[in-house]
Amino acid sequence: MDRHGLSGHFCAADNRFMEKFCKKVDSLKMGLPWESGVKITPLAENDKAKYLNGLVTDAVEKGAKIANERGGKYDRTLYAPTILFPVKDGMKVYEEEQFGPVIPVTTFDDVEEVWADLLKSNYGQQAAVFSRSPDTIAKSIDVLTHAVARVNINGQCQRGPDVFPFTARKDSAAATLSVHDALRTFTIRAMVAIKQDDAGTKLLRDVVKDDTSKFMAYDYLP
């Protein structure tokens, strides 16, 4: 792999979180999707690594450092997870929705600063809140549901099962549509109404039982 041409690799952000975080991220195995234990796979776009490289370069030039040892390395479309700290307003990585393994880390003095920052952002997908305080959780939910489409309580931001709506807010919501919503949007729904009496009930049961109607069929397997 080529090493990113930037100086300032470090993993000493004066707190245990950053040390553990850097170590954990660097332990993630990189490779091809079919290889055993691989967690980081190639990017889907040929030029995406160059774009991410530009974000990292811009951040370093404006005062951030690459915090993890493996950060900033890439080979064609395989880009190593790169932790940047401290990231601040004015850096491209702070303002752009990158969809890549570049991890910007910033700090706040008060939780209300976090809320205000998310509310003014052009993007809004998910947020994660970690707290044992019901009051903090309640206030965070009330604020964050206006800034993002999913609030995770004591759990990380992640892809949910398909039964969850695939939603977002602000510019993140462009061209989003869940599988369920897509089927509903492109399907014209039809219904069958029958008189609710003994004769109607028997007739409907006979149709379903005899499997004479494809629309009313319960067996969808070929």
Side-chain angles (χ1 to χ4, degrees):
M1 287 188 134
D2 296 326
R3 176 173 291 274
H4 192 294
L6 297 171
S7 60
H9 287 261
F10 82 117
C11 193
D14 292 331
N15 63 71
R16 290 181 297 172
F17 167 76
M18 283 297 292
E19 292 177 0
K20 291 181 178 180
F21 187 43
C22 291
K23 184 177 180 180
K24 183 65 176 180
V25 168
D26 279 346
S27 71
L28 298 174
K29 184 178 179 180
M30 301 176 62
L32 298 175
W34 53 83
E35 295 176 340
S36 178
V38 166
K39 299 296 184 181
I40 306 297
T41 58
L43 299 163
E45 303 164 65
N46 288 332
D47 295 330
K48 192 59 176 281
K50 293 181 180 179
Y51 165 71
L52 297 175
N53 194 48
L55 295 181
V56 173
T57 301
D58 175 78
V60 170
E61 289 175 350
K62 294 176 180 176
K65 294 184 181 297
I66 298 176
N68 58 318
E69 182 62 30
R70 196 170 63 176
K73 302 176 185 178
Y74 69 98
D75 181 5
R76 289 164 288 184
T77 58
L78 192 59
Y79 202 97
T82 302
I83 303 172
L84 294 172
F85 179 84
V87 171
K88 59 185 179 181
D89 195 5
M91 297 178 180
K92 291 182 179 180
V93 72
Y94 189 93
E95 300 168 349
E96 297 184 13
E97 193 173 48
Q98 46 149 321
F99 287 107
V102 176
I103 309 164
V105 179
T106 188
T107 58
F108 298 90
D109 294 323
D110 188 273
V111 68
E112 293 189 4
E113 293 181 19
V114 181
W115 297 341
D117 195 67
L118 287 172
L119 288 170
K120 75 176 183 179
S121 172
N122 291 330
Y123 303 100
Q125 289 197 39
Q126 297 187 36
V129 181
F130 294 86
S131 176
R132 292 188 178 90
S133 167
D135 185 58
T136 299
I137 293 298
K139 289 180 179 178
S140 297
I141 289 174
D142 289 347
V143 173
L144 294 178
T145 48
H146 293 283
V148 298
R150 174 174 166 180
V151 180
N152 301 278
I153 306 301
N154 293 326
Q156 66 186 32
C157 297
Q158 58 187 305
R159 183 187 185 281
D162 288 336
V163 293
F164 283 11
F166 184 71
T167 60
R169 288 187 178 275
K170 296 175 276 191
D171 288 352
S172 294
T176 60
L177 200 65
S178 70
V179 174
H180 177 267
D181 289 337
L183 291 173
R184 291 291 296 272
T185 299
F186 295 106
T187 300
I188 298 176
R189 288 178 287 173
M191 62 176 289
V192 174
I194 194 166
K195 193 172 182 179
Q196 192 174 2
D197 56 19
D198 292 341
T201 301
K202 182 179 184 307
L203 179 60
L204 189 61
R205 285 178 176 173
D206 288 342
V207 170
V208 173
K209 180 181 178 181
D210 296 339
D211 198 24
T212 52
S213 167
K214 292 182 179 179
F215 183 82
M216 298 292 292
Y218 271 68
D219 185 5
Y220 297 102
L221 297 177

